[in-house]
Amino acid sequence: MNWLNEFPVPNLRRDHSSGLLELGGASVAQLARTFGTPLYLYDFDRIASRAEEINSELRKISEGSRAFYAMKALSNISVLKVIHGKGLGMDVVSGGEIERALAAGVTGGEIVFSGVAKTEEEIRLGIREKIACFNIESPHEVAELIRLAKGCGHKVPVALRINPDVDGKTHAKINTGLAETKFGLSPELAKKLTLEIMSCPDLSLLGVSCHIGSQIFDLNTIKAAALSVKDFALELLRLGAPITHVDMGGGLGVAYGPTEETPQPSFSAWVEAAKNALPDKSFDLHLEPGRSIVADAGILVTEVIDVKPAQKKTFAIVDAGMTELVRPAMYDAYHHVTPVEHKGVTTKFLTYDIVGPVCETSCWLASGVKLPELKRNDLVAILTAGAYGMSMASNYNTRNRPAEVAVISGKAKVIRKRETLRSLWESELV
Ligand code: LLP
């Protein structure tokens, strides 16, 4: 059995004769030997083609319709350069992300700034860099923008982020469109703020934004949110606001395994649902995809340190854990696991819990998976790890974060060196 047949991932294949896993044409085992484990590998050709695909879907709507990559998903500068090279702007949520985007050669005019807690310093940075849009999330933010935009020499572009009170039908921890979450503004409050913004000569109200959550499979939820955004946009037009775009955020779901109940929705279906937010044809549609650009381009390669028979389970203890990929610990997320080498002749399959070295019961990567018998030093790949993997990695247990390697047309390039242990305590004062 080809261990990938049950869950095919684009650009990932197994060489039949050697049994070796290949990502974008490069041998995963060889890369792991060269660069060590744990190791993040990304197929840059796949990232580039996903970026290109979403922008071309949006261009069908209008010249000004565009995607802003939610860089929190995977923010390595080399990754940003590839995505920016395909014409996408960046959706950022901190001053750090603005600086990172600038370091990748993105101009301020290609950056939109989301997030519930923009500090004075971050707002000043955004104004200084003339970013494309502040997606406003609170009355305080409006007051701050009015204060800080004064005398800056240009009109600061803003949009109001609406909370449509729509359930994105996703994991509770990443569901952001319900009224009980901290995100966005109620349409009533947003309407009040509209008048304040419009009376300020230093701000220019350009649009409406919305983001109802992440890992969304049911596009009817996007459509429902889009319809309420449209209602609000029409209200703004009645009030005389010169809005020109609607930003429907990110959130498109990605298939993580063969057990997914419904197939992964396409970019075109997503755009179709989101465009219900446009009041008329003259409007531009913006989207902020993160996961759907990078998730399936990335894998996390890890080595088996120990195989431990326990009372109720067999644990394969590997050298990556919640520090490298926190999604299982945090959201009980499923990631498919496959051996890096599997000749297909093995008859012995066992059921494993794949767990990491960190001293927490929640440090696990996969539970109850059937795999060809594993032994110490075997390599396994954790699939669909490109999004919210490395970008959420931590140094808990004084563990240095892994290296990141890009595969570009079959050739490997280190895009981030493995963190040194020394750097972990370098800024500590004794
Ligand atoms: N726009 C805004 C305002 C967001 O807050 C997010 C994600 C996105 C766009 C991108 O959403 P995406 O297309 O990636 O679904 N750590 C979690 C996901 C957190 C998402 C946070 N916001 C996970 O690993 O599942």
Side-chain angles (χ1 to χ4, degrees):
M1 177 186 191
N2 178 342
W3 208 243
L4 272 180
N5 280 349
E6 64 170 44
F7 181 53
V9 174
N11 300 11
L12 197 61
R13 61 179 287 276
R14 195 177 295 287
D15 182 272
H16 286 303
S17 52
S18 64
L20 288 173
L21 193 66
E22 289 176 0
L23 179 75
S27 159
V28 172
Q30 200 178 338
L31 296 179
R33 257 196 306 279
T34 310
F35 302 109
T37 57
L39 180 68
Y40 269 105
L41 293 178
Y42 309 117
D43 180 343
F44 269 27
D45 301 334
R46 173 72 182 161
I47 293 176
S49 86
R50 289 296 276 172
E52 199 162 354
E53 194 188 331
I54 185 62
N55 244 9
S56 70
E57 282 300 331
L58 283 165
R59 285 277 147 72
K60 289 180 194 161
I61 292 181
S62 67
E63 207 30 48
S65 292
R66 187 177 195 190
F68 294 82
Y69 169 61
M71 61 185 274
K72 62 171 85 67
L74 172 59
S75 58
N76 184 294
I77 286 176
S78 300
V79 172
L80 302 187
K81 277 181 179 288
V82 168
I83 294 173
H84 181 230
K86 291 296 171 188
L88 279 72
M90 297 293 148
D91 166 54
V92 306
V93 286
S94 68
E97 286 195 345
I98 295 181
E99 297 286 12
R100 195 176 257 282
L102 296 173
V106 179
T107 59
E110 299 169 294
I111 294 174
V112 298
F113 192 177
S114 306
V116 293
K118 303 179 188 78
T119 64
E120 171 170 344
E121 203 184 349
E122 289 172 325
I123 294 175
R124 282 191 195 281
L125 174 63
I127 292 175
R128 198 162 61 240
E129 293 299 333
K130 298 198 170 90
I131 65 166
C133 200
F134 284 88
N135 291 338
I136 293 177
E137 302 221 22
S138 82
H140 170 72
E141 197 181 332
V142 173
E144 280 294 85
L145 276 160
I146 290 174
R147 181 171 75 86
L148 300 170
K150 208 177 180 125
C152 75
H154 69 281
K155 269 179 165 290
V156 174
V158 303
L160 285 159
R161 176 169 173 182
I162 299 302
N163 180 320
D165 197 16
V166 166
D167 184 354
K169 297 193 183 151
T170 181
H171 191 287
K173 289 184 183 167
I174 50 175
N175 206 6
T176 56
L178 286 169
E180 55 261 41
T181 67
K182 66 181 174 182
F183 298 98
L185 296 154
S186 70
E188 301 71 47
L189 182 52
K191 194 175 154 193
K192 265 203 230 145
L193 297 175
T194 300
L195 302 174
E196 255 181 75
I197 295 170
M198 283 174 65
S199 65
C200 171
D202 305 304
L203 300 184
S204 157
L205 182 55
L206 291 189
V208 185
S209 83
C210 182
H211 170 77
I212 62 163
S214 196
Q215 186 58 0
I216 291 173
F217 268 65
D218 181 352
L219 294 180
N220 287 323
T221 66
I222 302 275
K223 187 174 172 186
L227 291 172
S228 73
V229 166
K230 180 181 174 176
D231 281 348
F232 184 69
L234 288 169
E235 183 78 35
L236 291 193
L237 291 172
R238 274 194 292 276
L239 292 170
I243 55 171
T244 54
H245 79 259
V246 169
D247 179 343
M248 281 302 295
L252 189 71
V254 160
Y256 279 89
T259 53
E260 223 78 66
E261 281 157 27
T262 36
Q264 178 175 323
S266 65
F267 278 149
S268 68
W270 184 29
V271 169
E272 203 53 37
K275 80 178 189 200
N276 284 293
L278 303 178
D280 65 53
K281 281 196 161 56
S282 70
F283 273 72
D284 294 328
L285 178 63
H286 295 174
L287 289 174
E288 301 165 356
R291 187 191 313 268
S292 52
I293 304 289
V294 292
D296 66 18
I299 64 172
L300 172 61
V301 191
T302 180
E303 184 179 314
V304 176
I305 296 189
D306 196 359
V307 180
K308 174 168 158 174
Q311 284 94 324
K312 297 196 169 166
K313 293 172 165 185
T314 303
F315 291 104
I317 306 175
V318 296
D319 66 0
M322 67 189 293
T323 36
E324 286 69 30
L325 182 66
V326 77
R327 302 193 69 257
M330 203 155 166
Y331 318 109
D332 288 322
Y334 178 88
H335 282 265
H336 204 64
V337 181
T338 195
V340 167
E341 185 178 18
H342 175 59
K343 288 226 172 74
V345 291
T346 320
T347 47
K348 194 164 178 194
F349 286 85
L350 291 172
T351 302
Y352 295 99
D353 270 27
I354 312 284
V355 299
V358 170
C359 299
E360 303 257 354
T361 305
S362 62
C363 182
W364 66 284
L365 295 173
S367 175
V369 290
K370 229 175 153 199
L371 289 174
E373 186 172 17
L374 292 172
K375 53 184 191 328
R376 195 175 149 75
N377 300 130
D378 280 351
L379 295 170
V380 293
I382 317 292
L383 309 190
T384 330
Y388 306 108
M390 186 61 181
S391 66
M392 292 178 83
S394 79
N395 297 118
Y396 186 37
N397 283 201
T398 303
R399 288 170 56 77
N400 46 335
R401 286 175 297 171
E404 293 176 290
V405 168
V407 178
I408 307 162
S409 310
K411 297 255 173 327
K413 260 204 145 48
V414 179
I415 55 167
R416 182 189 169 111
K417 293 191 272 189
R418 187 173 303 283
E419 203 165 31
T420 62
L421 279 175
R422 178 178 289 274
S423 73
L424 303 191
W425 53 82
E426 218 163 46
S427 39
E428 290 172 29
L429 302 175
V430 182

